[in-house]
Amino acid sequence: MDYKWLRDFSLKLLDQYSVAGQQVEASYNGQADYLARIPALADDAQIHIATTAGKIRALASVNSLETSSMGEWILYRLPEDCWQVCSGGLVRCDGPRMQRYHRYHLVGDNGIAVPEKLDGTMWLEYYRYPQLLGEDPKDGDKLDNTVEAQMALPYYVAAHLAMHDNAYAYQALMNEFETKLGRIGERPQTELNTVEDAYSAAELCYNE
């Protein structure tokens, strides 16, 4: 889905897209003001969704991150688009073996520290911010996040366009947005891992 779809759908929800089958001109009855507000509202909605119900997972090689030394630890700078590190967010690959690695510390607002001497390669799994449209998006600029998240965007935009003029429309559209938001969520993920118990006997455990 692209910006044109979002813009047009938002206007249609407010009956502002067309009159008698003819598309409303930008110069008609404050239409240009609506059009000017849509990009910022769309980006606000994208960030709201990506930091609540519609989190976007991303993966980055730890070797690609900026580093600094902290004694026997290495401090890696988190990616610019990182909003939050996933639980168990480091994945360690050592030959054919892959496992979640939990010996790390989040430091400050944008750092993650791991022990200096590690075998294999490490990947960071995190939730990222969405790619924003900016102030002057093109019609074909793509929206970020899942289809379910994108379908909720026009209701948020339309609600805020109507907020000062029609309290009933604002509330109805926000209710629909919240309903759609409530239906978005991460699918449960089951991982099969090998865990060693206190007697060095390997067990299988499920993590969700």
Side-chain angles (χ1 to χ4, degrees):
M1 297 177 179
D2 56 24
Y3 175 69
K4 182 180 184 302
W5 170 85
L6 168 63
R7 180 195 65 211
D8 293 351
F9 192 1
S10 300
L11 293 173
K12 289 174 182 178
L13 289 171
L14 295 173
D15 293 328
Q16 287 286 134
Y17 179 74
S18 62
V19 175
Q22 299 296 315
Q23 187 171 345
V24 176
E25 296 290 337
S27 59
Y28 176 77
N29 196 27
Q31 186 77 346
D33 295 328
Y34 280 103
L35 296 173
R37 294 171 59 195
I38 290 176
L41 289 171
D43 281 342
D44 186 32
Q46 288 197 104
I47 291 176
H48 178 76
I49 292 173
T51 55
T52 52
K55 299 176 183 177
I56 309 172
R57 284 182 179 260
L59 197 65
S61 169
V62 170
N63 292 334
S64 68
L65 305 178
E66 297 180 16
T67 64
S68 58
S69 178
M70 292 184 66
E72 295 182 356
W73 295 72
I74 297 178
L75 180 64
Y76 292 91
R77 183 182 179 87
L78 295 173
E80 291 293 332
D81 63 349
C82 178
W83 170 60
Q84 189 179 73
V85 175
C86 296
S87 176
L90 287 180
V91 181
R92 184 181 177 188
C93 302
D94 187 9
R97 187 179 183 185
M98 177 184 292
Q99 63 180 159
R100 293 283 177 180
Y101 185 79
H102 299 279
R103 194 183 174 203
Y104 65 85
H105 296 280
L106 296 175
V107 181
D109 292 332
N110 62 350
I112 184 169
V114 298
E116 187 172 2
K117 296 180 180 179
L118 285 175
D119 296 326
T121 58
M122 196 81 73
W123 294 83
L124 173 71
E125 189 175 19
Y126 64 99
Y127 298 114
R128 66 172 176 82
Y129 288 109
Q131 296 180 11
L132 302 181
L133 293 164
E135 295 181 0
D136 187 26
K138 303 294 186 293
D139 284 358
D141 288 352
K142 299 300 182 181
L143 303 175
D144 205 353
N145 216 324
T146 63
V147 172
E148 293 86 355
Q150 293 172 21
M151 288 300 298
L153 293 174
Y155 294 88
Y156 182 97
V157 172
H160 284 78
L161 290 176
M163 182 167 56
H164 300 298
D165 300 324
N166 190 329
Y168 175 79
Y170 167 76
Q171 193 59 58
L173 289 164
M174 281 301 294
N175 287 343
E176 184 63 23
F177 170 74
E178 294 293 344
T179 298
K180 290 182 178 295
L181 202 64
R183 294 171 181 163
I184 301 171
E186 286 191 290
R187 297 182 180 89
Q189 294 184 340
T190 301
E191 295 182 2
L192 183 63
N193 295 317
T194 300
V195 177
E196 292 186 358
D197 65 15
Y199 301 98
S200 299
E203 311 183 327
L204 291 179
C205 71
Y206 291 90
N207 296 323
E208 291 193 3

